[in-house]
mmCIF file of all heavy atoms in Angstrom:
data_model
loop_
_atom_site.group_PDB
_atom_site.id
_atom_site.type_symbol
_atom_site.label_atom_id
_atom_site.label_comp_id
_atom_site.label_asym_id
_atom_site.label_seq_id
_atom_site.Cartn_x
_atom_site.Cartn_y
_atom_site.Cartn_z
ATOM 1 N N LEU A 94 8.550 -7.664 -5.794
ATOM 2 C CA LEU A 94 7.585 -8.290 -4.897
ATOM 3 C C LEU A 94 6.208 -7.750 -5.238
ATOM 4 O O LEU A 94 6.079 -6.622 -5.701
ATOM 5 C CB LEU A 94 7.877 -7.973 -3.431
ATOM 6 C CG LEU A 94 8.953 -8.745 -2.694
ATOM 7 C CD1 LEU A 94 9.132 -8.187 -1.291
ATOM 8 C CD2 LEU A 94 8.637 -10.227 -2.634
ATOM 9 N N ARG A 95 5.195 -8.570 -4.972
ATOM 10 C CA ARG A 95 3.816 -8.119 -5.134
ATOM 11 C C ARG A 95 3.094 -8.276 -3.806
ATOM 12 O O ARG A 95 2.945 -9.392 -3.308
ATOM 13 C CB ARG A 95 3.093 -8.931 -6.205
ATOM 14 C CG ARG A 95 1.718 -8.390 -6.564
ATOM 15 C CD ARG A 95 0.921 -9.414 -7.320
ATOM 16 N NE ARG A 95 -0.252 -8.847 -7.965
ATOM 17 C CZ ARG A 95 -1.328 -9.568 -8.284
ATOM 18 N NH1 ARG A 95 -1.360 -10.857 -8.036
ATOM 19 N NH2 ARG A 95 -2.357 -8.987 -8.879
ATOM 20 N N LEU A 96 2.669 -7.154 -3.248
ATOM 21 C CA LEU A 96 1.902 -7.177 -2.018
ATOM 22 C C LEU A 96 0.412 -7.260 -2.337
ATOM 23 O O LEU A 96 -0.044 -6.666 -3.314
ATOM 24 C CB LEU A 96 2.173 -5.935 -1.184
ATOM 25 C CG LEU A 96 3.635 -5.654 -0.838
ATOM 26 C CD1 LEU A 96 3.723 -4.420 0.058
ATOM 27 C CD2 LEU A 96 4.300 -6.843 -0.198
ATOM 28 N N SER A 97 -0.317 -7.970 -1.499
ATOM 29 C CA SER A 97 -1.762 -8.084 -1.640
ATOM 30 C C SER A 97 -2.436 -7.650 -0.356
ATOM 31 O O SER A 97 -1.874 -7.799 0.733
ATOM 32 C CB SER A 97 -2.162 -9.529 -1.949
ATOM 33 O OG SER A 97 -1.592 -9.981 -3.147
ATOM 34 N N CYS A 98 -3.643 -7.127 -0.494
ATOM 35 C CA CYS A 98 -4.426 -6.720 0.671
ATOM 36 C C CYS A 98 -5.865 -7.169 0.453
ATOM 37 O O CYS A 98 -6.494 -6.769 -0.529
ATOM 38 C CB CYS A 98 -4.358 -5.219 0.862
ATOM 39 S SG CYS A 98 -5.431 -4.558 2.156
ATOM 40 N N ALA A 99 -6.347 -7.998 1.359
ATOM 41 C CA ALA A 99 -7.725 -8.493 1.289
ATOM 42 C C ALA A 99 -8.612 -7.680 2.220
ATOM 43 O O ALA A 99 -8.298 -7.504 3.402
ATOM 44 C CB ALA A 99 -7.762 -9.967 1.683
ATOM 45 N N HIS A 100 -9.723 -7.208 1.664
ATOM 46 C CA HIS A 100 -10.674 -6.369 2.403
ATOM 47 C C HIS A 100 -11.928 -7.179 2.698
ATOM 48 O O HIS A 100 -12.430 -7.894 1.822
ATOM 49 C CB HIS A 100 -11.009 -5.164 1.529
ATOM 50 C CG HIS A 100 -12.076 -4.253 2.064
ATOM 51 N ND1 HIS A 100 -13.420 -4.542 2.004
ATOM 52 C CD2 HIS A 100 -11.992 -3.021 2.643
ATOM 53 C CE1 HIS A 100 -14.116 -3.551 2.514
ATOM 54 N NE2 HIS A 100 -13.271 -2.629 2.910
ATOM 55 N N SER A 101 -12.438 -7.057 3.925
ATOM 56 C CA SER A 101 -13.691 -7.709 4.283
ATOM 57 C C SER A 101 -14.453 -6.832 5.267
ATOM 58 O O SER A 101 -13.879 -5.931 5.883
ATOM 59 C CB SER A 101 -13.436 -9.089 4.894
ATOM 60 O OG SER A 101 -12.684 -8.964 6.091
ATOM 61 N N GLY A 102 -15.752 -7.077 5.375
ATOM 62 C CA GLY A 102 -16.557 -6.399 6.379
ATOM 63 C C GLY A 102 -17.117 -5.060 5.974
ATOM 64 O O GLY A 102 -17.661 -4.351 6.828
ATOM 65 N N GLY A 103 -17.011 -4.695 4.720
ATOM 66 C CA GLY A 103 -17.548 -3.410 4.288
ATOM 67 C C GLY A 103 -17.735 -3.381 2.789
ATOM 68 O O GLY A 103 -17.536 -4.391 2.110
ATOM 69 N N THR A 104 -18.132 -2.227 2.262
ATOM 70 C CA THR A 104 -18.305 -2.069 0.824
ATOM 71 C C THR A 104 -16.989 -1.606 0.231
ATOM 72 O O THR A 104 -16.681 -0.411 0.225
ATOM 73 C CB THR A 104 -19.419 -1.067 0.524
ATOM 74 O OG1 THR A 104 -20.618 -1.480 1.204
ATOM 75 C CG2 THR A 104 -19.675 -0.996 -0.971
ATOM 76 N N PHE A 105 -16.212 -2.544 -0.284
ATOM 77 C CA PHE A 105 -14.856 -2.248 -0.750
ATOM 78 C C PHE A 105 -14.841 -1.156 -1.796
ATOM 79 O O PHE A 105 -13.987 -0.265 -1.767
ATOM 80 C CB PHE A 105 -14.232 -3.536 -1.295
ATOM 81 C CG PHE A 105 -12.826 -3.370 -1.796
ATOM 82 C CD1 PHE A 105 -11.811 -2.999 -0.933
ATOM 83 C CD2 PHE A 105 -12.524 -3.587 -3.127
ATOM 84 C CE1 PHE A 105 -10.506 -2.845 -1.382
ATOM 85 C CE2 PHE A 105 -11.233 -3.447 -3.594
ATOM 86 C CZ PHE A 105 -10.219 -3.081 -2.716
ATOM 87 N N GLY A 106 -15.788 -1.202 -2.719
ATOM 88 C CA GLY A 106 -15.799 -0.241 -3.811
ATOM 89 C C GLY A 106 -16.078 1.185 -3.379
ATOM 90 O O GLY A 106 -15.945 2.100 -4.197
ATOM 91 N N ALA A 107 -16.441 1.406 -2.130
ATOM 92 C CA ALA A 107 -16.730 2.750 -1.649
ATOM 93 C C ALA A 107 -15.484 3.460 -1.127
ATOM 94 O O ALA A 107 -15.541 4.660 -0.833
ATOM 95 C CB ALA A 107 -17.777 2.687 -0.540
ATOM 96 N N TYR A 108 -14.374 2.751 -1.008
ATOM 97 C CA TYR A 108 -13.173 3.313 -0.392
ATOM 98 C C TYR A 108 -12.064 3.526 -1.401
ATOM 99 O O TYR A 108 -11.754 2.642 -2.201
ATOM 100 C CB TYR A 108 -12.630 2.371 0.686
ATOM 101 C CG TYR A 108 -13.551 2.167 1.869
ATOM 102 C CD1 TYR A 108 -14.327 1.019 1.969
ATOM 103 C CD2 TYR A 108 -13.619 3.109 2.880
ATOM 104 C CE1 TYR A 108 -15.166 0.820 3.043
ATOM 105 C CE2 TYR A 108 -14.447 2.915 3.970
ATOM 106 C CZ TYR A 108 -15.217 1.770 4.049
ATOM 107 O OH TYR A 108 -16.043 1.587 5.121
ATOM 108 N N SER A 109 -11.425 4.704 -1.314
ATOM 109 C CA SER A 109 -10.105 4.825 -1.901
ATOM 110 C C SER A 109 -9.162 4.034 -1.005
ATOM 111 O O SER A 109 -9.341 3.981 0.214
ATOM 112 C CB SER A 109 -9.654 6.291 -1.943
ATOM 113 O OG SER A 109 -10.474 7.047 -2.807
ATOM 114 N N MET A 110 -8.163 3.433 -1.605
ATOM 115 C CA MET A 110 -7.230 2.577 -0.863
ATOM 116 C C MET A 110 -5.803 3.080 -1.050
ATOM 117 O O MET A 110 -5.477 3.705 -2.068
ATOM 118 C CB MET A 110 -7.327 1.134 -1.347
ATOM 119 C CG MET A 110 -8.699 0.505 -1.185
ATOM 120 S SD MET A 110 -9.166 0.281 0.532
ATOM 121 C CE MET A 110 -7.927 -0.894 1.081
ATOM 122 N N ALA A 111 -4.966 2.782 -0.081
ATOM 123 C CA ALA A 111 -3.579 3.231 -0.170
ATOM 124 C C ALA A 111 -2.643 2.224 0.479
ATOM 125 O O ALA A 111 -3.067 1.376 1.273
ATOM 126 C CB ALA A 111 -3.419 4.586 0.500
ATOM 127 N N TRP A 112 -1.391 2.356 0.112
ATOM 128 C CA TRP A 112 -0.292 1.659 0.783
ATOM 129 C C TRP A 112 0.597 2.713 1.439
ATOM 130 O O TRP A 112 0.985 3.687 0.789
ATOM 131 C CB TRP A 112 0.524 0.836 -0.194
ATOM 132 C CG TRP A 112 -0.178 -0.374 -0.709
ATOM 133 C CD1 TRP A 112 -0.921 -0.473 -1.855
ATOM 134 C CD2 TRP A 112 -0.204 -1.661 -0.103
ATOM 135 N NE1 TRP A 112 -1.414 -1.742 -1.990
ATOM 136 C CE2 TRP A 112 -0.987 -2.501 -0.932
ATOM 137 C CE3 TRP A 112 0.356 -2.202 1.055
ATOM 138 C CZ2 TRP A 112 -1.222 -3.852 -0.635
ATOM 139 C CZ3 TRP A 112 0.123 -3.536 1.347
ATOM 140 C CH2 TRP A 112 -0.664 -4.347 0.512
ATOM 141 N N PHE A 113 0.870 2.502 2.702
ATOM 142 C CA PHE A 113 1.835 3.303 3.436
ATOM 143 C C PHE A 113 2.991 2.389 3.830
ATOM 144 O O PHE A 113 2.855 1.161 3.806
ATOM 145 C CB PHE A 113 1.197 3.908 4.698
ATOM 146 C CG PHE A 113 0.268 5.042 4.419
ATOM 147 C CD1 PHE A 113 -1.022 4.821 3.965
ATOM 148 C CD2 PHE A 113 0.666 6.355 4.617
ATOM 149 C CE1 PHE A 113 -1.896 5.877 3.705
ATOM 150 C CE2 PHE A 113 -0.185 7.423 4.372
ATOM 151 C CZ PHE A 113 -1.466 7.177 3.913
ATOM 152 N N ARG A 114 4.100 2.997 4.224
ATOM 153 C CA ARG A 114 5.223 2.195 4.700
ATOM 154 C C ARG A 114 5.916 2.907 5.847
ATOM 155 O O ARG A 114 5.884 4.147 5.926
ATOM 156 C CB ARG A 114 6.205 1.906 3.566
ATOM 157 C CG ARG A 114 6.840 3.130 2.933
ATOM 158 C CD ARG A 114 7.677 2.719 1.733
ATOM 159 N NE ARG A 114 8.392 3.841 1.150
ATOM 160 C CZ ARG A 114 9.194 3.750 0.094
ATOM 161 N NH1 ARG A 114 9.387 2.564 -0.484
ATOM 162 N NH2 ARG A 114 9.813 4.819 -0.375
ATOM 163 N N GLN A 115 6.515 2.117 6.709
ATOM 164 C CA GLN A 115 7.207 2.674 7.864
ATOM 165 C C GLN A 115 8.510 1.929 8.090
ATOM 166 O O GLN A 115 8.492 0.721 8.370
ATOM 167 C CB GLN A 115 6.326 2.605 9.109
ATOM 168 C CG GLN A 115 6.896 3.355 10.303
ATOM 169 C CD GLN A 115 5.873 3.565 11.393
ATOM 170 O OE1 GLN A 115 4.839 2.894 11.446
ATOM 171 N NE2 GLN A 115 6.129 4.521 12.278
ATOM 172 N N ALA A 116 9.608 2.655 7.943
ATOM 173 C CA ALA A 116 10.928 2.096 8.200
ATOM 174 C C ALA A 116 11.272 2.289 9.679
ATOM 175 O O ALA A 116 10.716 3.176 10.338
ATOM 176 C CB ALA A 116 11.962 2.787 7.320
ATOM 177 N N PRO A 117 12.194 1.489 10.208
ATOM 178 C CA PRO A 117 12.565 1.614 11.625
ATOM 179 C C PRO A 117 13.026 3.026 11.957
ATOM 180 O O PRO A 117 13.852 3.603 11.249
ATOM 181 C CB PRO A 117 13.706 0.603 11.769
ATOM 182 C CG PRO A 117 13.452 -0.406 10.709
ATOM 183 C CD PRO A 117 12.875 0.363 9.559
ATOM 184 N N GLY A 118 12.475 3.601 13.012
ATOM 185 C CA GLY A 118 12.876 4.923 13.460
ATOM 186 C C GLY A 118 12.326 6.076 12.641
ATOM 187 O O GLY A 118 12.678 7.229 12.885
ATOM 188 N N LYS A 119 11.452 5.776 11.680
ATOM 189 C CA LYS A 119 10.898 6.825 10.821
ATOM 190 C C LYS A 119 9.380 6.861 10.938
ATOM 191 O O LYS A 119 8.750 5.907 11.379
ATOM 192 C CB LYS A 119 11.312 6.600 9.370
ATOM 193 C CG LYS A 119 12.804 6.733 9.129
ATOM 194 C CD LYS A 119 13.127 6.698 7.651
ATOM 195 C CE LYS A 119 14.611 6.915 7.403
ATOM 196 N NZ LYS A 119 14.920 6.896 5.938
ATOM 197 N N GLU A 120 8.811 7.989 10.512
ATOM 198 C CA GLU A 120 7.360 8.120 10.507
ATOM 199 C C GLU A 120 6.759 7.306 9.364
ATOM 200 O O GLU A 120 7.434 7.011 8.374
ATOM 201 C CB GLU A 120 6.969 9.589 10.358
ATOM 202 C CG GLU A 120 7.344 10.449 11.552
ATOM 203 C CD GLU A 120 6.809 11.861 11.433
ATOM 204 O OE1 GLU A 120 6.259 12.207 10.380
ATOM 205 O OE2 GLU A 120 6.941 12.619 12.409
#
Side-chain angles (χ1 to χ4, degrees):
L94 280 176
R95 188 195 194 204
L96 305 183
S97 299
C98 173
H100 174 283
S101 62
T104 305
F105 181 63
Y108 296 101
S109 295
M110 300 293 296
W112 289 93
F113 286 79
R114 61 186 184 180
Q115 189 166 18
K119 295 188 177 181
E120 293 186 353

